[in-house]
Amino acid sequence: ADVYLAEQTSLGRQVAVKVLKNNSLQSSGDILLRRFEQEARAAGGLSHPNLVQIITTGREGAIAYIVQEYVPGMNLSQWIRRNGPPDYATGLKWLQQIAAALRTASEAGIVHRDVKPENILLTRAGVAKVTDFGLAQLNQPSTAAMNLTQAGTTMGTPWYMSPEQIQGERLDHRSDQYSLGVTAYH
């Protein structure tokens, strides 16, 4: 997907608009669109100060989009490249914020599956926010069919993946905890 900065004119605020690339739809078909829509449902149903909030979703012709909270700042990977490792107090604060956000997702039956520095946004005020639920697994009875991956299929960023995720097994909150631990080590 491509992400654009836009203005929500009705409220006079900036938002981020995530648009699924048309060429992705043509080459990967329905499964990619279903994953994109799943991301919107997974993240859109969550409310936590350390999760990027989904505002709305939709389709306009062949264009599928998610409108979400705009987080001015940078991601954790960019911050580390610019500043080096955070001091102990800052790192601990961010870990607590990210863990709280992942707990909210877990309590809703959602496994993020792609926790990594690039998916943690840092506001200019120094608040960490988890974003990008594009690979989320929904562990809810009503959505069991929405895993959108086959058994034995591996999805995510290998350096941050738990062993069970690498093996393509069904996951729970512990996989995200593992990925957060690797992110902390990073």
Side-chain angles (χ1 to χ4, degrees):
D2 291 318
V3 180
Y4 300 94
L5 178 61
E7 181 180 349
Q8 183 181 10
T9 56
S10 62
L11 296 176
R13 67 177 174 181
Q14 292 184 317
V15 295
V17 180
K18 188 173 187 176
V19 178
L20 192 59
K21 294 180 182 182
N22 280 335
N23 61 348
S24 299
L25 278 176
Q26 294 166 357
S27 63
S28 300
D30 188 50
I31 192 78
L32 192 56
L33 179 59
R34 288 176 49 208
R35 280 195 189 120
F36 191 74
E37 291 169 344
Q38 174 179 298
E39 173 183 4
R41 275 193 304 281
L46 301 174
S47 179
H48 190 278
N50 300 110
L51 289 169
V52 173
Q53 298 301 297
I54 300 297
I55 298 167
T56 190
T57 65
R59 288 184 75 174
E60 191 66 38
I63 299 172
Y65 62 88
I66 299 172
V67 180
Q68 59 191 27
E69 168 188 10
Y70 169 60
V71 180
M74 60 183 76
N75 68 41
L76 180 57
S77 181
Q78 293 166 328
W79 193 94
I80 290 171
R81 277 196 305 275
R82 179 180 286 178
N83 301 296
D87 61 66
Y88 176 78
T90 302
L92 181 60
K93 176 183 79 170
W94 289 341
L95 283 173
Q96 290 171 330
Q97 291 171 345
I98 298 161
L102 293 173
R103 179 177 181 178
T104 295
S106 173
E107 288 171 350
I110 298 168
V111 181
H112 187 284
R113 294 201 306 180
D114 203 18
V115 177
K116 61 184 179 181
E118 291 80 6
N119 288 338
I120 298 166
L121 302 180
L122 302 172
T123 70
R124 291 185 180 140
V127 175
K129 290 183 168 264
V130 177
T131 191
D132 198 351
F133 281 76
L135 296 181
Q137 173 182 291
L138 284 75
N139 290 335
Q140 302 160 338
S142 63
T143 56
M146 287 303 294
N147 187 15
L148 299 180
T149 56
Q150 299 173 337
T153 301
T154 302
M155 298 187 72
T157 305
W159 292 335
Y160 299 94
M161 291 168 55
S162 66
E164 58 273 15
Q165 187 172 356
I166 289 171
Q167 294 169 2
E169 297 174 7
R170 187 134 174 103
L171 308 175
D172 61 26
H173 67 280
R174 295 172 292 184
S175 182
D176 284 346
Q177 290 174 345
Y178 179 94
S179 298
L180 178 57
V182 174
T183 297
Y185 179 79
H186 176 101

